[in-house]
Amino acid sequence: MTTAFDSEGDGGFDEENGEESDKEIKTKKVKKQKKKTKEIGDKEVKKPKGKATEHKDQLSRLQEKDPEFYKFLKDNDQTLLNFNDSDSSDEESGAHQLPDHLEEMSEDDEDKESEEEKPQKKQKADQIVVTLKMVQRWKSEVKSDLRPRLFHEIAQAFKAAVATTEGAASDNPSKFKVTDTAVFNALVTFCIRDLFVHLEKKLDLKPAKGTKLLNPSNSALWKKLRLDIKMYLNSVIQLLSCLTEATVCAAVLQHVNSTVHYYLCFPKHTRQLLKQAIALWSTGEETVRVVAFLVLNKICRHRKDSYLNPVLKKMYISYVKNSKFTSPNVLPMINFMQRTLTEMYALDVQASYQHVFIYIRQLAIHLRTAMTLKKKGAYQSVYNWQYVHCLYLWCRVLSTIHPNEVLEPLIYPLVQVITGCIRLVPTIRYFPLRMHCVRALTLLSESTGVFIPVLPFLLEVFHQVNFDKRPGRISVKPINFAVILKLSNANLQEKVFRDGLIDQIYDLTLEYLHSQAHFIGFPELALPCIIQLKSFLKECKVSNYCKPMRQLVEKIQENSSYITSKRQKCAFGVSDRDAVLRWEKQIKEEGTPLSKYFTNWKKLREKEIQLEISGKERMEDLNLPEIKRKRLDKKEEDKREFKDLFDSDSDSDSGPGGLSLKGKPKPKHKGESSDESSEEEVEGEYKVEDDDSSGLDGESQDEDEEVGGEVGAHKKKKQKKKKEEQRLSQADLKELAKGEEDIVQDLEFSDDE
């Protein structure tokens, strides 16, 4: 039986029996299902059996039909008979089973995916290229009727144009494509200038009441145009971030300023616009900064609750970041940021109080840390440009918004922080920083009317600096105290340091006393200053320092005597506060001698500061005469006579005291000799040399003999030429080329000169 089961015929038999058994199984299944459905009455539905259970039923029926084969399986393959139908439950429950082999992707599947990618490629390939004719057509159609479909096309084209500024890597889902720069300029110019003018006519917006902005969302067409307007506004913000030309950026910002009411309908785009506008306000060019501030001010003025607090915070942080370094070119930009930021704080005083209080407290904490830490570089967190500019900013804010009860309590802590900053390192090296702090205190005192003792910080300089000491170094370039905080050791030894210090004391003392000149107690305030200045005049022996200080004392005494004479005529007492205020107001309106002098001095001082910043010198007031030399009659003879002499000099440039002709310009006119051109070249740097003075008389005699036409002297000259050729100096050659007397004429510069 073992051989019979191994033969092919037996195997084929088994397959036939298997096929027949399958047919029988199917017929039996159908009969059983029909019987059960009849018995249940179509109330229950039997679940179909799994493949594992069907195979087990086949094995059980095999025992009845072919007991010998079943016995053989039982003896040889017991595992086949003990079939576990646990898998059938998984199949019947619908659980997922991993296949034994993973199928590879066929070519048909690849074709399906390639067909899915084709629409995207077609979309990129089917983009419409914008031309100048299309832009012109849009312009003409917009004038007649701005339909929503037309606005959609223009917005899509504008988006495609802005996408070109981001580079080739940016994805452009728009159906348009801009490839030409002329088309880009025409399209952007059209959108910025004309598009929204016609859009507002189409929306037919009702005029807002009072100072409120128009609300485009109230229009009936807003729902149709909302998405396209949103896309356009987003494209404008992207365009602002890519522009580098100041004029173009300013033009786009002006367009944004006129369309702010559209941005306010989209809070997300408004926040993006504010972020970009703050960056341009702090880092852009002058015109760009101004227009960016107008955008910020307009948004915050109409949406204070939503945007004012975050905008104030970000603007202050940007101000601090961009005031780290100070130079004559950067200083006007920093002053601009101070003034504009002050206007932003003036929009809402209640909200500004929290910001000012927190930031002044931060400055005080930095100062306290620098005073308590006894380390070498602890003061550097205070003695820097950012700290000084912040102090000046808050002085300007409190001065501008002075008649206000909310911010008035912050004046005293700010003054304490500034005076503590001066006292932190009271050395000569940090006198420039002291001058900046004094100027901030003067501004605060003048605007608020609060008395701040500023003069002691200025008069201390006379005790710390010896103005009679001879300078160790001489420097021509003056020290600009407006752009420095610290002086170097070399600066302290220079004469320009003392000169600049005297100018600073004069300016700041005059500026502070001018703000106090109309007060009824001015004579008592100025008395210590007058005494100290007089003692300085007695000790100082330098006339350049005594002259401005003496003039300052005279002006202070004149104003003191004027106030004294005026208050002697008063009929009210000191305790009558209202009468004192009225008297001071009247004196201020009439003007004091010191205030009149200060106004004239201020105009001259501003001109001087502008000249120092620009580094230019005024030459229009100097009427310098022009020196012209008369042409000699015998230039050609002199040229032939001294030809050998000048040729030898040009060959031997290394001769002692000789004139080097290397690089000498050629004469432009035919009658102009080479010796005249050499004289004009050295004329601006003329120096007297003592070594050559002994030979001037002899050379002049030889020249007179040549002009007189004496033949004997002329022959002697030729005989001695070879011996004296190497001993000729620069002064000797100048005498040889010297002509007749100079003729002084009016100043007329030629193009060559």
Side-chain angles (χ1 to χ4, degrees):
M1 288 187 64
T2 55
T3 56
F5 279 109
D6 292 334
S7 63
E8 295 178 359
D10 293 335
F13 173 79
D14 292 335
E15 291 176 358
E16 292 177 358
N17 290 336
E19 291 177 358
E20 292 176 357
S21 62
D22 290 337
K23 292 179 181 179
E24 293 176 358
I25 290 169
K26 289 180 180 179
T27 53
K28 290 181 180 179
K29 281 182 181 179
V30 173
K31 292 179 181 179
K32 288 181 180 179
Q33 287 180 359
K34 288 180 179 180
K35 290 180 181 179
K36 287 182 179 180
T37 51
K38 289 179 181 180
E39 292 175 356
I40 296 172
D42 296 334
K43 292 182 180 181
E44 294 180 358
V45 179
K46 186 178 181 180
K47 296 181 180 180
K49 293 183 179 180
K51 294 182 180 180
T53 54
E54 291 178 0
H55 188 61
K56 190 173 183 181
D57 294 337
Q58 292 175 3
L59 293 175
S60 61
R61 288 191 295 273
L62 182 63
Q63 184 179 4
E64 297 175 357
K65 292 182 178 182
D66 195 353
E68 294 180 355
F69 179 64
Y70 185 82
K71 185 179 180 181
F72 171 78
L73 291 176
K74 188 177 181 180
D75 295 334
N76 294 287
D77 195 357
Q78 189 69 26
T79 57
L80 182 60
L81 296 177
N82 297 330
F83 184 80
N84 189 8
D85 60 344
S86 61
D87 295 336
S88 63
S89 61
D90 295 337
E91 293 177 358
E92 292 171 1
S93 62
H96 176 69
Q97 292 183 357
L98 291 175
D100 295 336
H101 300 285
L102 295 176
E103 296 181 357
E104 295 181 359
M105 187 173 61
S106 62
E107 295 179 357
D108 298 333
D109 297 333
E110 292 178 357
D111 295 335
K112 291 180 181 179
E113 291 185 0
S114 62
E115 289 177 359
E116 293 176 357
E117 293 177 358
K118 280 181 181 179
Q120 297 179 358
K121 294 181 179 179
K122 282 184 178 180
Q123 186 178 2
K124 292 184 178 180
D126 295 342
Q127 286 181 339
I128 303 172
V129 178
V130 182
T131 59
L132 289 174
K133 292 182 179 180
M134 295 174 63
V135 177
Q136 295 296 330
R137 179 173 58 82
W138 287 336
K139 284 184 180 181
S140 59
E141 290 181 0
V142 161
K143 292 179 181 179
S144 59
D145 184 17
L146 183 59
R147 304 182 307 277
R149 182 64 182 173
L150 178 61
F151 184 82
H152 174 73
E153 291 182 357
I154 297 173
Q156 288 283 343
F158 183 78
K159 181 181 179 182
V162 173
T164 58
T165 61
E166 299 177 358
S170 61
D171 295 331
N172 183 18
S174 177
K175 65 178 181 179
F176 292 100
K177 185 177 182 181
V178 177
T179 57
D180 191 6
T181 56
V183 176
F184 176 86
N185 295 332
L187 180 60
V188 173
T189 305
F190 160 64
C191 292
I192 290 175
R193 289 182 179 177
D194 305 327
L195 182 60
F196 271 70
V197 176
H198 299 286
L199 179 62
E200 291 195 357
K201 293 180 181 178
K202 183 68 176 178
L203 292 175
D204 193 15
L205 300 176
K206 296 180 180 180
K209 297 180 180 180
T211 58
K212 293 183 179 180
L213 288 174
L214 297 174
N215 190 2
S217 60
N218 295 332
S219 176
L221 294 174
W222 177 252
K223 292 182 179 180
K224 296 181 179 179
L225 298 171
R226 179 180 176 277
L227 294 178
D228 294 328
I229 293 174
K230 183 178 180 181
M231 178 178 60
Y232 176 84
L233 298 178
N234 188 29
S235 301
V236 172
I237 297 174
Q238 293 178 3
L239 183 62
L240 277 177
S241 62
C242 299
L243 292 175
T244 56
E245 184 66 28
T247 55
V248 180
C249 189
V252 176
L253 278 174
Q254 289 177 356
H255 171 62
V256 170
N257 189 30
S258 62
T259 57
V260 163
H261 49 286
Y262 290 96
Y263 280 95
L264 294 178
C265 298
F266 307 100
K268 182 179 178 181
H269 289 70
T270 305
R271 289 191 294 269
Q272 294 176 357
L273 176 62
L274 290 172
K275 184 177 179 181
Q276 188 64 35
I278 291 172
L280 295 173
W281 167 79
S282 59
T283 59
E285 298 293 333
E286 185 176 359
T287 54
V288 175
R289 287 171 179 258
V290 174
V291 186
F293 166 70
L294 294 177
V295 174
L296 293 171
N297 193 10
K298 193 172 184 179
I299 293 175
C300 294
R301 193 168 64 248
H302 294 90
R303 293 288 190 274
K304 293 180 183 178
D305 299 335
S306 303
Y307 303 113
L308 183 59
N309 281 325
V311 166
L312 289 177
K313 183 178 180 180
K314 291 180 180 179
M315 288 181 73
Y316 179 73
I317 293 173
S318 300
Y319 168 76
V320 175
K321 287 181 179 179
N322 292 279
S323 61
K324 189 174 183 179
F325 303 102
T326 304
S327 65
N329 296 327
V330 178
L331 195 58
M333 300 300 178
I334 295 176
N335 293 332
F336 168 77
M337 286 193 287
Q338 288 178 358
R339 294 186 180 93
T340 52
L341 194 52
T342 301
E343 292 188 21
M344 296 296 293
Y345 282 109
L347 292 177
D348 189 358
V349 181
Q350 297 291 339
S352 300
Y353 175 83
Q354 299 178 357
H355 291 270
V356 180
F357 177 82
I358 290 173
Y359 293 131
I360 291 178
R361 183 174 177 272
Q362 285 183 354
L363 296 174
I365 291 172
H366 282 289
L367 179 62
R368 183 187 64 185
T369 305
M371 294 173 69
T372 54
L373 289 178
K374 297 180 179 180
K375 293 183 180 180
K376 187 175 181 180
Y379 61 89
Q380 291 180 356
S381 61
V382 175
Y383 279 23
N384 56 70
W385 274 117
Q386 291 175 322
Y387 196 92
V388 173
H389 285 312
C390 289
L391 291 177
Y392 204 89
L393 169 67
W394 300 127
C395 287
R396 190 182 291 276
V397 169
L398 297 181
S399 301
T400 306
I401 323 173
H402 164 57
N404 189 275
E405 297 179 355
V406 178
L407 296 179
E408 191 173 357
L410 298 175
I411 296 175
Y412 178 77
L414 180 59
V415 172
Q416 292 297 316
V417 172
I418 297 175
T419 54
C421 181
I422 295 174
R423 297 295 185 190
L424 183 60
V425 186
T427 58
I428 302 175
R429 178 171 292 183
Y430 289 100
F431 274 173
L433 184 138
R434 175 179 295 202
M435 303 305 169
H436 288 291
C437 294
V438 167
R439 190 170 282 106
L441 291 174
T442 303
L443 173 65
L444 189 61
S445 176
E446 181 181 2
S447 302
T448 59
V450 178
F451 174 73
I452 302 174
V454 173
L455 290 176
F457 299 118
L458 295 173
L459 300 176
E460 283 177 359
V461 177
F462 294 123
H463 299 288
Q464 298 182 9
V465 180
N466 185 10
F467 289 93
D468 292 332
K469 184 180 178 181
R470 296 185 63 182
R473 295 180 59 184
I474 297 177
S475 177
V476 180
K477 187 178 181 181
I479 298 175
N480 191 358
F481 280 77
V483 293
I484 59 171
L485 293 179
K486 185 177 78 170
L487 296 166
S488 62
N489 293 328
N491 294 137
L492 297 176
Q493 299 175 3
E494 294 175 352
K495 179 178 179 295
V496 292
F497 160 64
R498 295 178 177 83
D499 297 343
L501 202 58
I502 289 292
D503 293 338
Q504 290 292 313
I505 294 172
Y506 182 89
D507 296 351
L508 293 174
T509 305
L510 183 62
E511 190 173 352
Y512 176 74
L513 291 176
H514 150 72
S515 63
Q516 310 290 330
H518 62 281
F519 285 105
I520 198 168
F522 180 81
E524 289 76 17
L525 173 65
L527 182 61
C529 179
I530 294 173
I531 295 173
Q532 200 151 357
L533 288 175
K534 285 185 175 180
S535 64
F536 168 76
L537 292 173
K538 290 180 181 179
E539 297 174 357
C540 184
K541 299 177 182 178
V542 182
S543 61
N544 291 334
Y545 302 156
C546 294
K547 184 177 179 180
M549 293 297 107
R550 188 177 292 109
Q551 185 181 11
L552 182 61
V553 171
E554 292 175 357
K555 296 299 179 183
I556 296 173
Q557 288 178 339
E558 183 182 358
N559 197 83
S560 298
S561 60
Y562 176 79
I563 296 295
T564 304
S565 63
K566 284 287 185 180
R567 71 183 184 182
Q568 286 177 354
K569 301 176 183 179
C570 297
F572 53 86
V574 181
S575 59
D576 192 355
R577 180 64 178 169
D578 296 334
V580 171
L581 292 176
R582 287 195 299 269
W583 184 87
E584 290 177 351
K585 184 179 180 180
Q586 182 181 359
I587 294 296
K588 186 176 182 180
E589 292 176 354
E590 293 177 358
T592 61
L594 190 61
S595 62
K596 293 177 181 177
Y597 171 76
F598 177 79
T599 53
N600 296 328
W601 170 85
K602 190 70 174 177
K603 294 178 182 178
L604 297 175
R605 185 59 180 163
E606 287 177 355
K607 290 182 180 179
E608 292 178 0
I609 291 173
Q610 289 176 358
L611 291 173
E612 289 178 1
I613 291 175
S614 61
K616 297 178 181 178
E617 297 180 358
R618 290 177 295 177
M619 297 293 292
E620 60 272 10
D621 297 334
L622 301 177
N623 296 322
L624 297 176
E626 182 187 7
I627 299 176
K628 287 188 176 181
R629 297 194 180 277
K630 188 177 180 181
R631 291 186 178 181
L632 298 177
D633 297 334
K634 298 183 179 181
K635 287 183 179 179
E636 295 296 334
E637 295 180 2
D638 295 339
K639 186 175 181 181
R640 289 194 299 270
E641 183 177 353
F642 296 105
K643 182 178 180 181
D644 299 334
L645 176 63
F646 280 97
D647 291 342
S648 62
D649 286 339
S650 62
D651 295 334
S652 58
D653 294 332
S654 60
L659 177 65
S660 176
L661 300 178
K662 188 176 292 184
K664 180 176 67 65
K666 297 180 181 179
K668 295 184 178 181
H669 303 287
K670 294 182 179 180
E672 187 177 359
S673 61
S674 60
D675 55 348
E676 184 180 357
S677 62
S678 64
E679 180 199 358
E680 292 176 356
E681 184 180 358
V682 190
E683 185 177 356
E685 299 178 356
Y686 181 77
K687 295 181 182 179
V688 179
E689 297 179 2
D690 296 335
D691 297 336
D692 301 330
S693 60
S694 58
L696 290 176
D697 296 340
E699 295 296 331
S700 61
Q701 292 176 1
D702 294 339
E703 186 178 0
D704 294 336
E705 291 174 357
E706 292 167 8
V707 175
E710 297 180 0
V711 181
H714 188 64
K715 292 181 179 179
K716 291 180 181 179
K717 175 74 176 179
K718 290 184 178 180
Q719 292 175 359
K720 295 180 180 180
K721 183 178 63 174
K722 294 182 180 179
K723 295 180 181 180
E724 296 177 356
E725 184 176 354
Q726 296 180 353
R727 289 180 293 175
L728 288 174
S729 63
Q730 186 175 356
D732 297 333
L733 294 175
K734 287 180 180 179
E735 286 294 329
L736 292 174
K738 189 174 181 182
E740 296 181 1
E741 297 181 357
D742 298 335
I743 299 174
V744 179
Q745 298 180 1
D746 294 334
L747 182 62
E748 293 179 359
F749 290 108
S750 63
D751 295 335
D752 298 335
E753 293 170 344

